[in-house]
Amino acid sequence: MSLGKTILGLFGWLLLCFASAAGGAVFMPGEWYASLHKPAWNPPGWIFGPAWTTLYAMMAVAAWLVWQRGGFAAQRRPLGLFLAQLALNALWTPLFFGLRQPGMAFAEILVLWLAIGATLLAFRRVSRAAAWLLVPYLAWVSFAAALNGTIWRLNP
Amino acid sequence: MSLGKTILGLFGWLLLCFASAAGGAVFMPGEWYASLHKPAWNPPGWIFGPAWTTLYAMMAVAAWLVWQRGGFAAQRRPLGLFLAQLALNALWTPLFFGLRQPGMAFAEILVLWLAIGATLLAFRRVSRAAAWLLVPYLAWVSFAAALNGTIWRLNP
């Protein structure tokens, strides 16, 4: 793979990951979210923006590392899992903030969690660095799932 | 809403819809898809590109029409449903062509079909034109679901 294509690929993956985040960014957590009962360990709101920006950048780099090993033809399964988890990630915000369905969003985030886990395991067989880049993402989604589940339980 | 913002909005919706299609376009239906048993009514492969391009453009215009009636704040539910169906749409290709799991993709396309139906009904309350713009999309996904299900059954 030429250096030009490699660098273009990095921008492609970054663009794809941040585009999938854009669909979520339109729903601002406003009054409704503020009015929900939350657990004591709920983090301050300002953390989510920088956290997700970092995690999207890390996951784009991870996919880019795997993609470099022969492109989609050679890495069909790991990159298929990655794109599936990216779509599931994009699905969560419309369910939680768009439809205001914390229960549905909780069920969905559990599927997302499994998809990220499967992606991480598939990436590990191709690049250990790519797998490590997904560890903070999996940890954050574990935390987000616990928060989502608790908010659902606290606001019947 | 100013004319500038309205026009910018159209480009935003088109960009979002075509970006979500991009994740799918990376998996070219190659030898594997060609080798599958298909029903007699399977359409020629060249139809899918123009069909999806038209449908993505129509759904972007539909969302744009709804969005013009007060933006995300006023149209939270219909636009939430729309973004959810868009994410579910993006999920199908990695499942079918990425993971080569026609069964899983079939289960997923049924959820997508329900989400498009719910979006269409929600759009109808806001703009009849927007609802009509989704009718060919729902019809095509009905057809695609039947094709997916038949391919799954024919290739155990």
Side-chain angles (χ1 to χ4, degrees):
Chain A
M1 198 178 281
S2 71
L3 184 65
K5 194 184 168 188
T6 305
I7 291 171
L8 210 69
L10 176 60
F11 284 100
W13 283 106
L14 284 169
L15 205 71
L16 190 67
C17 290
F18 283 104
S20 84
V26 295
F27 294 110
M28 284 293 113
E31 275 175 51
W32 171 75
Y33 187 70
S35 75
L36 291 174
H37 295 288
K38 289 178 211 76
W41 45 272
N42 181 51
W46 59 264
I47 276 186
F48 292 92
W52 276 113
T53 306
T54 311
L55 295 171
Y56 278 115
M58 286 171 82
M59 79 172 87
V61 172
W64 176 62
L65 290 175
V66 171
W67 169 79
Q68 281 180 64
R69 310 280 177 99
F72 282 94
Q75 306 299 342
R76 185 179 46 72
R77 204 177 157 275
L79 294 178
L81 283 167
F82 180 86
L83 291 174
Q85 71 76 25
L86 193 64
L88 288 166
N89 183 312
L91 181 57
W92 186 85
T93 317
L95 295 183
F96 193 97
F97 287 108
L99 304 183
R100 297 186 179 169
Q101 294 280 353
M104 209 190 277
F106 181 58
E108 200 273 335
I109 206 171
L110 297 180
V111 181
L112 169 61
W113 192 89
L114 290 173
I116 299 168
T119 307
L120 198 152
L121 293 178
F123 274 22
R124 198 172 57 171
R125 272 178 236 121
V126 185
S127 155
R128 293 187 72 84
W132 277 111
L133 281 166
L134 293 185
V135 169
Y137 177 36
L138 186 63
W140 181 264
V141 170
S142 309
F143 172 75
L147 183 60
N148 183 159
T150 307
I151 287 177
W152 176 44
R153 199 168 49 82
L154 291 177
N155 300 273
Chain B
M1 198 179 284
S2 71
L3 184 65
K5 196 185 167 186
T6 304
I7 291 170
L8 210 68
L10 176 59
F11 284 99
W13 283 107
L14 284 168
L15 205 71
L16 191 67
C17 290
F18 283 103
S20 84
V26 295
F27 294 110
M28 285 291 111
E31 276 175 51
W32 170 75
Y33 187 71
S35 76
L36 291 174
H37 296 287
K38 288 178 211 75
W41 44 273
N42 180 50
W46 60 262
I47 275 186
F48 291 92
W52 275 114
T53 305
T54 310
L55 295 171
Y56 277 116
M58 287 172 81
M59 78 173 86
V61 173
W64 176 63
L65 289 175
V66 171
W67 168 80
Q68 282 179 64
R69 311 277 177 101
F72 282 95
Q75 305 300 340
R76 185 179 46 73
R77 203 174 159 277
L79 294 179
L81 282 167
F82 180 85
L83 291 174
Q85 71 77 24
L86 193 64
L88 287 166
N89 183 311
L91 181 56
W92 186 85
T93 318
L95 295 182
F96 193 98
F97 287 108
L99 304 183
R100 296 184 178 169
Q101 295 280 352
M104 208 190 278
F106 180 58
E108 201 272 336
I109 206 171
L110 297 181
V111 181
L112 170 62
W113 191 89
L114 290 174
I116 299 168
T119 306
L120 197 153
L121 293 178
F123 273 22
R124 199 174 54 172
R125 271 177 237 124
V126 186
S127 155
R128 294 187 73 84
W132 278 111
L133 281 165
L134 294 185
V135 169
Y137 176 35
L138 187 64
W140 180 265
V141 170
S142 309
F143 172 76
L147 182 60
N148 183 159
T150 308
I151 287 177
W152 176 45
R153 200 167 49 82
L154 292 176
N155 300 271

